[in-house]
Amino acid sequence: MNLSRIAKVAAVGLLSAAAALGLWHSTVGAQEEPVVIPRPAIDFPVAGSEAKAIFAGGCFWGVQGVFQHVKGVKNAVSGYAGGEADTAHYDMVGSGQTGHAEAVEITYDPAVVSYGQLLQILFSVAMNPTQLNYQGPDHGTQYRNAIFFQSDEEKQVAAAYIAQLDAATVYPAPIVTTLEPLEAFYPAEQYHQDFLTLNPTWPYIVINDLPKVEALQKLFPAVWQKDPVLVGTL
């Protein structure tokens, strides 16, 4: 059961402006360990020097923070997908009633990193794909893990990879990641952007998200880059 933002702040004594804006998440039940998984057996080449992928995997702070350290990623923006434009606001999305998921729009160079490689990183270190409508300490449909596909090719590659991982039984439970057609992506409020990099000592970040970045460096050294690609001012 989730505590209210006020209760969470009171519980840890964080009477700060950031907490007042709703930037505190419970740290109970930290993220699970990363999982070593095979690369997708099926991938697809993307024409051009730039493409986008939209993933949801729980709180967008950690998902954004992971992909900002991937070579070939040009930008990673925290935001909302799955709902309407007029409800794409943090306080409304937090109700779990908008249809939105906290998501990250990843702009990448397909000549450096492929869509399939991004999926592998997502399923290995950025989220736990077996958790339905929650990730670690965060519960609600807004924290569901989802792939918002933009083409039949993306859908087919993602579906084939989920089937491949389930068949290999690399997880103790079936994958519940949803495949949802992307209607629109809405960038989140500025105070959510680059949150991991700007707040490395924030308790939620320390417990739940920095281990993901460390796992990326350890498990994917070929695509690891030390300096993150930051959003800055939208």
Side-chain angles (χ1 to χ4, degrees):
M1 175 176 162
N2 284 349
L3 298 173
S4 68
R5 288 193 300 273
I6 294 175
K8 291 174 185 175
V9 170
V12 296
L14 290 175
L15 301 177
S16 65
L21 287 171
L23 295 181
W24 176 255
H25 291 244
S26 169
T27 59
V28 177
Q31 199 72 21
E32 287 78 3
E33 292 295 317
V35 179
V36 177
I37 59 176
R39 290 183 63 168
I42 300 174
D43 205 337
F44 72 99
V46 178
S49 61
E50 187 172 289
K52 294 182 185 292
I54 293 86
F55 301 146
C59 175
F60 42 31
W61 297 340
V63 178
Q64 180 192 48
V66 166
F67 285 103
Q68 287 178 321
H69 282 280
V70 174
K71 288 180 182 177
V73 169
K74 299 181 176 182
N75 203 6
V77 178
S78 290
Y80 312 107
E84 302 297 328
D86 58 356
T87 60
H89 305 284
Y90 185 63
D91 286 342
M92 299 179 72
V93 172
S95 71
Q97 303 300 312
T98 66
H100 281 296
E102 291 194 9
V104 175
E105 179 188 67
I106 301 159
T107 303
Y108 66 100
D109 182 348
V112 179
V113 62
S114 73
Y115 184 71
Q117 287 175 299
L118 295 177
L119 288 176
Q120 184 184 22
I121 292 168
L122 176 71
F123 284 121
S124 176
V125 302
M127 70 173 189
N128 182 332
T130 70
Q131 295 179 339
L132 181 62
N133 292 331
Y134 78 100
Q135 280 292 295
D138 300 312
H139 290 244
T141 57
Q142 69 272 31
Y143 297 116
R144 68 186 182 275
N145 57 87
I147 295 167
F148 291 92
F149 61 87
Q150 303 165 88
S151 67
D152 289 340
E153 289 83 4
E154 283 188 358
K155 182 181 180 181
Q156 291 166 5
V157 169
Y161 193 36
I162 290 171
Q164 174 187 341
L165 294 177
D166 273 338
T169 61
V170 294
Y171 301 101
I175 291 173
V176 296
T177 303
T178 59
L179 302 180
E180 305 178 31
L182 180 70
E183 300 297 334
F185 174 83
Y186 306 97
E189 296 80 356
Q190 184 60 45
Y191 58 80
H192 286 300
Q193 306 302 336
D194 306 326
F195 195 87
L196 183 150
T197 298
L198 297 176
N199 301 275
T201 61
W202 195 267
Y204 180 96
I205 295 296
V206 171
I207 294 173
N208 295 283
D209 293 334
L210 289 184
K212 298 178 183 179
V213 177
E214 293 167 359
L216 174 70
Q217 181 180 12
K218 179 179 179 180
L219 297 182
F220 298 93
V223 298
W224 162 261
Q225 60 181 10
K226 179 179 179 181
D227 296 326
V229 178
L230 301 181
V231 175
T233 302
L234 289 171

